[in-house]
Amino acid sequence: MKFARSLTITITILFTLILTVSCSKEQSSDVNSTVDINNETVKAALRAHIEFLADDLLRGRDTGTAEYEIAARYVVSNFKQFGLKPAGENGSWLQTVPFTKSTLDTSTVEMIVHTKDSSLDFDFPKQFMSGASAVSEADEVRGKLVFVGYGIVSEELKHDDYSGLNVKGKIVVYLGGKPASFPSEMGAHLASGSEKRRNAAEQGAIGIIAVHTPLSDKVRTYEKSIPNAGKPSMSWQMKEGGVFGNYSEIKGGAYISKEAGKILFSSAGHDLEQIFTEIEADKVPLGFDMDIEVSFKRQSSHENIVSSNVIAMLEGSDPILKNEYVVYSAHLDHIGDTAHGDEEDNINNGALDNASGVAVMLETARRFSQGEPPKRSILFVVVTGEEKGLLGSNYFAHYPTVPVESMVANINLDMPLILYPFADVIAFGAEHSTLAGFVERAAALQGIKLSPDPMPEQALFVRSDHYSFVKQGIPSIFLVPGWTSKDPEINGEEVFGQFFSKHYHQPSDDISLPINYDAGATFIQVNFDIGQEIANSKSRPQWNEGDFFGDKFKK
Ligand SMILES: [Zn+2]
């Protein structure tokens, strides 16, 4: 999800683990029975997968590394043992994703504000941050500024920040975020950087300045992003040529601090403080021409990188419905080795982000392979590049290895915190489609409930790989254990909060965390039962009538 003192395991132990996994075929083939939490085989297999994937030897499974590919081959090896079929490219298990890794030469990056009688050089990264260009080695652009409010355009909400403004050949200035009155998930989609960039490009802008606001502070302060300034970024290369999400007409841009924003606005005779007061009262600020110019300069270098998605299939039993697929997804990549040189442990093992999700998917796949296949086929999609911006799933969703309209639902597994005996599950996105009913019934089989999203303001529905499937019109959920605990001594919400503050994207997200394998086994069963019912049901899941995401993306 977009939000170690690890055990070093010798090769001998790794082999033992693989043997443990391969020996577990002998478990019950009665796939409809509720899981026996004493099912030592499932628990041992789950543990073995997580221990392997989170081992220091895999160095945090960063996209594009050899260690990531070893993890991918481990997944393939398991799918083969389960008797699944390869469903990648050209009859293989893999889909090779070509990436461009772009690095900004921070010594060359420049943002200058030009007024009638002065020019002001902004400081990188204290006052502004800028990313590398994904396509050109040297960029230079200068243009007049136009303030465009939040830079959002939505027919559904009858909201158009560009209304009455001409930004052709100019640089747009917009506030980060969105009006507070926008519904959370829909708003998160509309206010995403990619949507705002698309709007700017469609309106003919040549540059973008995004302004940090006091409201943005509540999510993440500007200062917190400074250590990441100038870090390389990745994008995937389109088969048609070019890099996805790149607009050649936009030649430069910056993300600026509140203080830099105030200087920028006052240079043009405007008061940003007053606009901040308006947005805090949830008034939508109106745009205007700013009578100043800004110039940007930067140099970028590029590297071609490849990394693999892994795709496997269990063929359905119905002669017609087997041409439709229930899709499980989980990201295998993590953030790698954050070498600063001075710490004892720099390896981000990602035991829970997302070795646990991949392990749950593998054991779900094993369960499917043990009984009668359901009517529809099941597709298991293990993706790369999630931590770089949902890239591997986006690539798969654009170039699926089965027809896009044949995918009836996506169930995504990302960072399931199997750390306590949970008494409920959360399915982000369930309220958008008929998938909610499937989750409710599967949970009920385990005597647990489906709980509503406990943190709608985080808009997690647009923050993991299922979102790539949503944008192709496929009803999707992102399934995690809920915050209710069967153990009165453990508060699920506290465990979640602690994980986020202490271990999320840290080397301590490793195998030393108190993973509860009984909870893991229950989670596997719920996950399996959801897919099993979808795969056997007469009609495929549907978006709810009038749902924003359904209406926007349904094919
Ligand atoms: Zn993550």
Side-chain angles (χ1 to χ4, degrees):
M1 198 190 308
K2 299 237 41 103
F3 283 132
R5 272 115 287 252
S6 174
L7 301 175
T8 302
I9 306 180
T10 63
I11 296 298
T12 326
I13 295 174
L14 292 179
F15 271 109
T16 318
L17 296 180
I18 292 168
L19 286 177
T20 316
V21 177
S22 60
C23 290
S24 56
K25 273 253 172 192
E26 66 220 34
Q27 63 186 264
S28 158
S29 65
D30 178 6
V31 292
N32 290 319
S33 66
T34 54
V35 72
D36 172 10
I37 57 160
N38 294 315
N39 188 337
E40 297 305 322
T41 316
V42 173
K43 285 158 49 184
L46 191 57
R47 180 194 291 267
H49 297 315
I50 297 175
E51 285 183 355
F52 182 91
L53 296 172
D55 192 274
D56 272 358
L57 287 171
L58 293 189
R59 304 200 74 79
R61 308 182 304 278
D62 202 4
T63 302
T65 62
E67 291 83 2
Y68 172 88
E69 294 302 318
I70 292 170
R73 296 321 184 273
Y74 175 83
V75 170
V76 170
S77 164
N78 276 277
F79 283 153
K80 280 185 182 173
Q81 290 179 48
F82 305 156
L84 303 185
K85 289 189 173 166
E89 287 168 336
N90 310 317
S92 79
W93 296 89
L94 306 178
Q95 177 180 48
T96 305
V97 186
F99 293 105
T100 298
K101 183 175 180 182
S102 312
T103 308
L104 178 71
D105 178 349
T106 53
S107 70
T108 64
V109 67
E110 203 176 273
M111 171 176 179
I112 302 174
V113 182
H114 307 271
T115 65
K116 279 194 186 72
D117 35 42
S118 71
S119 64
L120 185 60
D121 215 331
F122 274 12
D123 235 24
F124 176 92
K126 205 174 150 261
Q127 290 179 296
F128 81 101
M129 296 180 210
S130 184
S133 162
V135 287
S136 60
E137 279 167 26
D139 287 291
E140 211 174 330
V141 67
R142 177 170 171 156
K144 280 210 163 100
L145 303 190
V146 185
F147 176 59
V148 293
Y150 284 107
I152 292 176
V153 179
S154 164
E155 252 175 65
E156 302 81 6
L157 294 172
K158 304 203 178 358
H159 182 107
D160 183 0
D161 283 327
Y162 285 88
S163 167
L165 298 170
N166 179 4
V167 305
K168 216 169 169 44
K170 298 178 188 163
I171 294 172
V172 294
V173 180
Y174 53 66
L175 306 173
K178 62 181 171 64
S181 59
F182 279 21
S184 164
E185 293 173 343
M186 177 182 184
H189 168 76
L190 295 169
S192 62
S194 58
E195 282 299 295
K196 289 190 178 187
R197 270 197 303 281
R198 194 163 61 91
N199 295 336
E202 277 175 5
Q203 301 280 339
I206 54 168
I208 289 172
I209 298 172
V211 184
H212 191 88
T213 74
L215 296 179
S216 329
D217 275 339
K218 292 178 185 162
V219 185
R220 189 185 173 88
T221 61
Y222 180 88
E223 289 65 35
K224 212 162 180 189
S225 301
I226 287 181
N228 292 323
K231 286 226 176 112
S233 57
M234 281 173 83
S235 352
W236 55 267
Q237 298 166 1
M238 296 186 289
K239 292 189 176 176
E240 314 76 279
V243 163
F244 183 78
N246 181 71
Y247 300 98
S248 55
E249 47 277 71
I250 309 263
K251 305 270 185 233
Y255 162 52
I256 65 175
S257 71
K258 284 180 295 196
E259 291 68 31
K262 286 175 197 167
I263 297 169
L264 185 75
F265 277 68
S266 70
S267 307
H270 291 276
D271 184 3
L272 183 59
E273 200 72 70
Q274 194 191 327
I275 294 172
F276 284 164
T277 311
E278 281 176 32
I279 63 170
E280 281 178 290
D282 201 25
K283 289 199 185 114
V284 176
L286 291 178
F288 47 77
D289 280 301
M290 292 170 79
D291 201 20
I292 52 171
E293 294 186 357
V294 159
S295 61
F296 291 111
K297 238 188 202 177
R298 65 179 166 182
Q299 286 180 21
S300 315
S301 58
H302 306 99
E303 201 183 328
N304 288 323
I305 277 177
V306 291
S307 187
S308 306
N309 288 335
V310 181
I311 306 142
M313 191 237 288
L314 176 99
E315 196 169 70
S317 55
D318 183 277
I320 307 227
L321 289 180
K322 73 174 186 185
N323 297 312
E324 294 185 348
Y325 300 84
V326 176
V327 183
Y328 285 97
S329 58
H331 77 88
L332 178 62
D333 67 299
H334 193 47
I335 57 172
D337 189 336
T338 41
H340 302 299
D342 47 352
E343 286 126 25
E344 212 176 290
D345 180 6
N346 297 315
I347 300 173
N348 297 279
N349 307 81
L352 290 173
D353 185 8
N354 182 32
S356 62
V358 172
V360 166
M361 188 207 273
L362 288 175
E363 288 312 297
T364 303
R366 186 203 302 277
R367 268 190 120 64
F368 272 108
S369 71
Q370 286 168 338
E372 269 304 299
K375 290 178 181 159
R376 288 187 178 80
S377 298
I378 312 285
L379 204 63
F380 299 97
V381 182
V382 176
V383 296
T384 184
E386 191 272 351
E387 304 285 11
K388 312 290 183 206
L390 317 182
L391 301 183
S393 59
N394 209 348
Y395 188 85
F396 176 81
H398 275 82
Y399 308 115
T401 53
V402 300
V404 69
E405 61 282 358
S406 70
M407 294 187 274
V408 305
N410 170 236
I411 304 160
N412 185 51
L413 302 163
D414 189 359
M415 230 171 77
L417 298 188
I418 41 173
L419 294 169
Y420 53 92
F422 59 91
D424 62 342
V425 289
I426 298 162
F428 299 105
E431 67 279 15
H432 297 290
S433 70
T434 57
L435 286 173
F438 292 91
V439 181
E440 240 159 30
R441 289 186 290 277
L445 291 176
Q446 302 308 309
I448 64 178
K449 286 186 327 199
L450 166 63
S451 291
D453 180 351
M455 39 182 178
E457 71 290 350
Q458 292 286 337
L460 287 178
F461 185 56
V462 304
R463 286 170 57 188
S464 183
D465 290 309
H466 55 286
Y467 187 44
S468 300
F469 292 90
V470 168
K471 288 199 270 188
Q472 298 303 322
I474 301 162
S476 305
I477 49 163
F478 166 17
L479 185 75
V480 293
W483 288 358
T484 318
S485 167
K486 288 179 188 164
D487 179 347
E489 305 284 301
I490 302 174
N491 177 329
E493 183 175 358
E494 256 171 50
V495 173
F496 182 88
Q498 285 209 348
F499 179 83
F500 258 90
S501 59
K502 291 198 180 136
H503 308 298
Y504 174 71
H505 285 200
Q506 298 297 329
S508 62
D509 174 7
D510 69 11
I511 201 70
S512 68
L513 290 169
I515 296 175
N516 182 318
Y517 292 100
D518 286 326
T522 307
F523 191 64
I524 290 165
Q525 186 66 37
V526 174
N527 189 47
F528 168 81
D529 285 330
I530 294 169
Q532 172 89 336
E533 196 197 329
I534 300 170
N536 281 327
S537 74
K538 218 180 250 167
S539 50
R540 52 198 280 174
Q542 300 293 328
W543 289 99
N544 291 339
E545 194 67 37
D547 183 76
F548 167 75
F549 292 99
D551 289 352
K552 191 156 193 86
F553 300 118
K554 199 156 54 186
K555 305 271 172 193

